[in-house]
Amino acid sequence: MSGQRSVPEVALLGCGGWGRNLARNFAALGALTAVHDPDAEAVAAVAASTGARTRSLSEILDDPAIDGVIIAAPAARHAELAQTVLEAGKHVFVEKPLSLDVGEAEALIRLAKEKGRVLMVGHLLQYHPVFVRLKAMCADGELGALRYVYSNRLSLGKFRTEENALWSFAPHDISMIQALLGERVTEVSAVGHSFLGTALADVTHTNIRFAEGTAAHVFVSWLHPYKEQRLVVVGEKAMAVFNDGLDWPEKLMLFRHGITWQNGLPTANRAEGEAVPVEPAEPLSVECTHFLDCIRDGTTPRTDGREALGVLRILDAADRSIHLGRTIVMTAAETRYFAHETACIDDGVDVGDGSKLWHFVHVLSGSRIGRNCNIGQNVMIGPDVSVGDGCKIQNNVSVYKGVTLEDGVFCGPSMVFTNVLNPRAEIDRRGELLPTLVRKGASIGANATIVCGHTVGRYAFVAAGAVVTKDVPDFALVMGNPARVAGYVCVCGERLAEGDWQEAACGCGRHYARKGETVTLVEDDA
């Protein structure tokens, strides 16, 4: 494939209603060179309007000049066609949903990794300028802590025969909700109703609960008297409404409503809606441009296979809830971690359920991150690094090969690990790496340095700016350069008795014994 061209060449599979929109946009970007559809009349019309050639599927797959393939076929064929295209070594853009089966989606993600190809899914509203603005407002705290989100996607038609209204409409909403809340889903409940005499649900209501206590509600229907596409986000300080049915100046409204308590009762303090200015742009053009950029630059799409898999797991759970008539509690296999769109996770990395990886995190191959970890901005981990469960690594930390963090370790902002004692830029010392072990529950303060080859003990506390040049005992508080023991701390983080003591108790109920610099936890009433 010719990856050196400024605009990659792509082909389109599927020239139906939405396929025509995709063809128009990719043609406008100068990328569409071939189209294919079993319907001769449909493909001829698209070829005539775009100037693209009508070609067979085998011709498209065998042409080395074609870099990527867009799949706009019926949803039931998405996974099959995506697999075929990936196996041919081409990048893939698949309209939503990626698949109607979670297992198929997982297999496609693995295949895309093996082939080193881009796998992008058409969750269009992630590229809508209004949603991009709304997401930035939420990330900046303009709404305060988010409480709940609800979305309505309603219209009369278009009726489907291979998927119900949930699978046809809700992927967009679930994708937006997942991007806003970014938390682990704990349970999903849904109800659906079939009124047109088919086995497919025409109307569905889905409730989603998250680990942090937030919730979301999605109402979709293709049997509704009017069209509505509305997303409402309720925060602690303000509320926002994304109404895609209105003109651009009114699509995003902010309501700074407040709640006060009087005599034990909540009272609403209403505020006028404020229009949030957003520069108009066609979301589909933005989405198509993003796919071409990812092919050209080798970057990960905002709506890649992992993002789509999270959406599919929620859809699958909602579908099972409809048919089983009960709430689906998400198992460990169905939970997921959150990775910001700028995070880079290499092949061969294992990230535990409930973990969060924020802006510009890079995890190198062979590394393992445990469950419920929080990895801050600009953190680099690996290669071949193990991070235990429940760890918190704050901004601008590099955890190099040779470092191991056990469960519950805290790494303050800009603290430093080394892995070579005498580094030189001109000398390769990768064979001289010395291991560093940070034991369970230890805390390392901001700008501290841990010189390689040493162990930081269980629940030890390394003060901000300290330089550790020897092993740190369990429960020890160390300060200075070089770091020296300045006291001892409890599991809860409070400082224990000062001076020369043999027994000490913390206000939390834990009791300790000391002999020299060795401190042990002897009783725990906490």
Side-chain angles (χ1 to χ4, degrees):
M1 293 185 296
S2 84
Q4 299 302 313
R5 291 189 300 270
S6 59
V7 179
E9 291 188 9
V10 298
L12 172 67
L13 307 183
C15 297
W18 193 249
R20 290 193 294 271
N21 291 328
L22 287 162
R24 171 176 56 83
N25 277 275
F26 278 110
L29 295 168
L32 186 67
T33 62
V35 291
H36 172 78
D37 194 295
D39 186 329
E41 185 176 337
V43 74
V46 170
S49 65
T50 62
R53 292 176 57 194
T54 300
R55 305 185 71 180
S56 68
L57 177 58
S58 60
E59 287 175 332
I60 289 171
L61 298 179
D62 291 341
D63 188 347
I66 294 176
D67 301 293
V69 175
I70 300 95
I71 298 173
R77 295 203 63 202
H78 284 183
E80 165 206 346
L81 288 172
Q83 179 181 345
T84 300
V85 172
L86 287 169
E87 287 176 342
K90 299 188 184 297
H91 305 283
V92 183
F93 175 104
V94 188
E95 259 311 318
K96 58 81 186 169
L98 173 58
S99 171
L100 297 178
D101 180 83
V102 170
E104 288 180 343
E106 292 173 334
L108 289 174
I109 293 168
R110 290 193 296 269
L111 180 59
K113 283 186 175 182
E114 292 170 5
K115 296 292 185 178
R117 302 292 93 182
V118 170
L119 173 60
M120 177 169 160
V121 182
H123 291 156
L124 176 64
L125 292 177
Q126 288 255 23
Y127 302 91
H128 197 300
V130 172
F131 180 72
V132 173
R133 179 72 179 91
L134 173 59
K135 184 179 175 184
M137 290 167 62
C138 294
D140 292 341
E142 195 164 344
L143 275 64
L146 299 187
R147 300 307 192 196
Y148 75 92
V149 180
Y150 76 81
S151 182
N152 292 348
R153 189 160 303 276
L154 317 167
S155 67
L156 184 60
K158 179 179 181 180
F159 307 117
R160 305 283 185 175
T161 57
E162 72 277 357
E163 65 197 55
N164 61 22
L166 173 75
W167 284 86
S168 181
F169 286 177
H172 289 308
D173 305 282
I174 294 172
S175 177
M176 289 191 292
I177 289 166
Q178 186 173 259
L180 290 176
L181 297 181
E183 300 168 359
R184 183 172 64 88
V185 174
T186 57
E187 60 183 45
V188 177
S189 61
V191 294
H193 304 282
S194 302
F195 298 110
L196 293 178
T198 71
L200 300 176
D202 308 307
V203 179
T204 69
H205 296 78
T206 302
N207 292 298
I208 308 165
R209 296 194 65 83
F210 295 84
E212 299 297 323
T214 53
H217 173 79
V218 180
F219 172 29
V220 299
S221 173
W222 58 36
L223 196 60
H224 199 77
Y226 57 85
K227 187 173 184 178
E228 179 179 344
Q229 298 175 351
R230 188 194 308 262
L231 179 76
V232 177
V233 183
V234 177
E236 184 181 28
K237 297 193 300 186
M239 306 175 187
V241 179
F242 170 19
N243 190 338
D244 206 16
L246 299 180
D247 293 334
W248 279 94
E250 301 174 296
K251 283 185 184 291
L252 182 57
M253 298 293 293
L254 181 66
F255 297 86
R256 301 184 190 275
H257 299 319
I259 307 295
T260 58
W261 289 80
Q262 299 177 1
N263 300 320
L265 297 175
T267 302
N269 300 319
R270 302 180 185 277
E272 292 294 324
E274 306 169 20
V276 179
V278 178
E279 188 68 28
E282 183 180 0
L284 186 55
S285 177
V286 176
E287 183 181 49
C288 294
T289 300
H290 184 67
F291 178 57
L292 298 177
D293 289 344
C294 289
I295 292 177
R296 185 188 61 241
D297 302 334
T299 52
T300 301
R302 184 180 310 168
T303 52
D304 67 347
R306 289 179 180 273
E307 189 272 343
L309 180 60
V311 172
L312 288 181
R313 284 172 171 164
I314 296 173
L315 286 168
D316 177 71
D319 210 29
R320 284 186 283 137
S321 178
I322 290 170
H323 289 96
L324 296 174
R326 61 176 176 83
T327 296
I328 302 298
V329 177
M330 304 295 274
T331 66
E334 294 167 322
T335 56
R336 61 184 299 278
Y337 63 87
F338 167 77
H340 188 267
E341 62 192 50
T342 59
C344 178
I345 303 172
D346 289 356
D347 294 344
V349 169
D350 180 18
V351 181
D353 297 323
S355 289
K356 298 178 181 180
L357 286 70
W358 293 102
H359 305 63
F360 304 107
V361 168
H362 186 186
V363 187
L364 283 72
S365 63
S367 298
R368 174 196 174 274
I369 297 176
R371 297 172 297 170
N372 301 316
C373 293
N374 198 323
I375 312 299
Q377 298 182 29
N378 301 313
V379 170
M380 191 278 287
I381 298 174
D384 304 318
V385 163
S386 177
V387 176
D389 296 341
C391 291
K392 178 177 283 188
I393 305 176
Q394 296 202 309
N395 299 353
N396 307 314
V397 174
S398 294
V399 187
Y400 298 115
K401 184 173 183 178
V403 177
T404 299
L405 307 184
E406 293 187 350
D407 296 346
V409 170
F410 175 91
C411 296
S414 301
M415 61 79 46
V416 175
F417 288 107
T418 73
N419 59 2
V420 173
L421 285 178
N422 53 346
R424 291 289 195 193
E426 298 177 341
I427 302 175
D428 184 353
R429 299 201 188 278
R430 283 176 291 183
E432 303 175 25
L433 302 184
L434 295 178
T436 298
L437 174 62
V438 184
R439 301 292 306 277
K440 180 178 180 179
S443 294
I444 303 172
N447 299 302
T449 298
I450 311 298
V451 176
C452 59
H454 303 296
T455 296
V456 177
R458 296 171 61 246
Y459 298 102
F461 203 113
V462 178
V467 179
V468 171
T469 59
K470 62 180 182 180
D471 291 350
V472 177
D474 293 350
F475 304 105
L477 167 65
V478 296
M479 301 179 176
N481 181 9
R484 293 182 173 85
V485 176
Y488 296 89
V489 290
C490 177
V491 168
C492 71
E494 293 297 321
R495 192 164 182 173
L496 296 174
E498 298 188 25
D500 189 12
W501 53 270
Q502 293 182 324
E503 295 182 359
C506 180
C508 71
R510 295 179 175 88
H511 296 260
Y512 297 84
R514 174 184 172 189
K515 185 175 182 179
E517 286 195 344
T518 301
V519 171
T520 55
L521 177 64
V522 294
E523 187 177 345
D524 188 349
D525 298 329

